[in-house]
Amino acid sequence: MKPLKILIVEDEIITAMDLQETLQEAGHIVTTTARTFQDAVKAVRNHPPDLALIDIHLEGSSADGIETAKKLLEIHHMPIMYLTANSEPETFQSAKETLPVAYLLKPFRHDELKMQVELAYNYFQFTLAKTSSAPVSDYLYFPVDKGHEKIDPNDVLYIEADGSYVKIFLANKKNYHISMNLSHLAQYFPTPNFHRLSRSLLINLNYLERLEANHLYLVNHESAIPIPVASRKELMNKLRVVRTKKSPLN
């Protein structure tokens, strides 16, 4: 196969060097070896890779590998491979939300890594081609009452995770409660106006009517939606806010 441009996100220097040597031996190009969330985001923006190999535990980083992967996927669509020493079921379930192409446990075997990278990328390309050839429509069809009901994505106010279900709230005050994972559903709302406010909330910024220090309000929706402290800065960066020196939103 053709050489791949691969991003390594690994906090352990020796492991990162071992990964880089293994991938280069297979003919691939390591674009960057990042140790933190910030380094990884910068690397993807400057040198978009074909694939990212990410450790879940990142010592000294502001976010773990799973949260890092979520952010990277917002910037650049690519296959994600996890390489970790953590085999706990909770971590694995959380990692599944990013739809990784592989989840490998440390210590890794060099030959296995080379094969998994090739298999993962080929599968990703096959899936991408299959999706690209699918019929295109401006509408989404949600599974409702043993059928599928047409919904205009532009009418969606926000989507909220509810255990193994999601609640979909529309501008006309109609709502749906369907069995689906929010991370899976979020891929059907790729436009910039849909913002992942938290792990449990996806909001349509086109309906944002009022913004306060810790809450926001959407059109035709009376209840305030809390803004997580960790998400406030990213939200503000997406909005054209007229700031004052004493603004509590700064």
Side-chain angles (χ1 to χ4, degrees):
M1 68 178 299
K2 70 170 187 177
L4 299 178
K5 294 180 292 183
I6 300 177
L7 166 66
I8 297 175
V9 184
E10 169 63 63
D11 63 310
E12 296 180 359
I13 297 178
I14 295 178
T15 302
M17 292 176 61
D18 195 9
L19 289 169
Q20 181 171 347
E21 290 178 2
T22 300
L23 294 172
Q24 289 175 339
E25 285 177 2
H28 302 305
I29 302 167
V30 175
T31 59
T32 310
T33 299
R35 300 183 63 185
T36 66
F37 170 86
Q38 291 83 356
D39 292 343
V41 170
K42 182 179 180 180
V44 168
R45 284 177 173 158
N46 292 338
H47 305 287
D50 296 315
L51 179 147
L53 184 60
I54 304 176
D55 185 12
I56 290 180
H57 177 73
L58 297 175
E59 189 72 31
S61 176
S62 60
D64 65 13
I66 297 173
E67 293 302 319
T68 298
K70 290 178 181 178
K71 180 61 180 178
L72 299 186
L73 290 172
E74 291 179 7
I75 302 171
H76 177 59
H77 187 48
M78 60 182 168
I80 298 292
M81 291 181 64
Y82 288 115
L83 181 65
T84 179
N86 194 330
S87 60
E88 295 179 0
E90 295 82 3
T91 301
F92 177 68
Q93 291 301 320
S94 181
K96 283 171 59 179
E97 293 182 6
T98 59
L99 304 177
V101 291
Y103 189 96
L104 304 178
L105 296 176
K106 295 178 180 179
F108 70 93
R109 291 183 295 176
H110 297 75
D111 290 340
E112 180 184 13
L113 176 63
K114 294 175 184 177
M115 289 188 292
Q116 289 297 332
V117 165
E118 185 169 345
L119 287 172
Y121 186 74
N122 283 344
Y123 177 74
F124 176 80
Q125 288 298 308
F126 171 78
T127 305
L128 190 63
K130 195 172 182 181
T131 303
S132 300
S133 62
V136 177
S137 172
D138 292 334
Y139 296 95
L140 295 176
Y141 292 82
F142 286 96
V144 178
D145 296 331
K146 298 182 180 180
H148 288 81
E149 189 164 330
K150 183 176 75 172
I151 295 177
D152 187 339
N154 296 316
D155 292 337
V156 175
L157 279 179
Y158 73 99
I159 304 173
E160 181 179 20
D162 183 26
S164 58
Y165 287 76
V166 291
K167 294 179 180 178
I168 304 167
F169 297 85
L170 304 184
N172 61 8
K173 297 189 177 182
K174 189 174 182 179
N175 61 74
Y176 296 89
H177 196 218
I178 62 176
S179 176
M180 191 171 293
N181 179 281
L182 178 57
S183 290
H184 175 73
L185 182 58
Q187 68 181 316
Y188 293 94
F189 296 86
T191 53
N193 56 300
F194 281 97
H195 175 66
R196 190 73 177 265
L197 186 64
S198 67
R199 293 183 63 182
S200 60
L201 282 173
L202 179 70
I203 65 172
N204 188 343
L205 295 178
N206 287 342
Y207 288 97
L208 179 57
E209 185 173 46
R210 179 174 173 80
L211 187 67
E212 297 181 355
N214 301 310
H215 296 84
L216 60 83
Y217 294 84
L218 300 176
V219 176
N220 295 331
H221 190 75
E222 296 179 359
S223 302
I225 296 177
I227 304 174
V229 175
S231 303
R232 185 183 305 155
K233 183 177 180 181
E234 183 178 358
L235 172 63
M236 296 296 291
N237 289 337
K238 282 202 168 187
L239 304 174
R240 298 178 65 186
V241 179
V242 179
R243 303 171 185 267
T244 63
K245 292 183 179 180
K246 297 181 179 180
S247 173
L249 300 177
N250 290 332

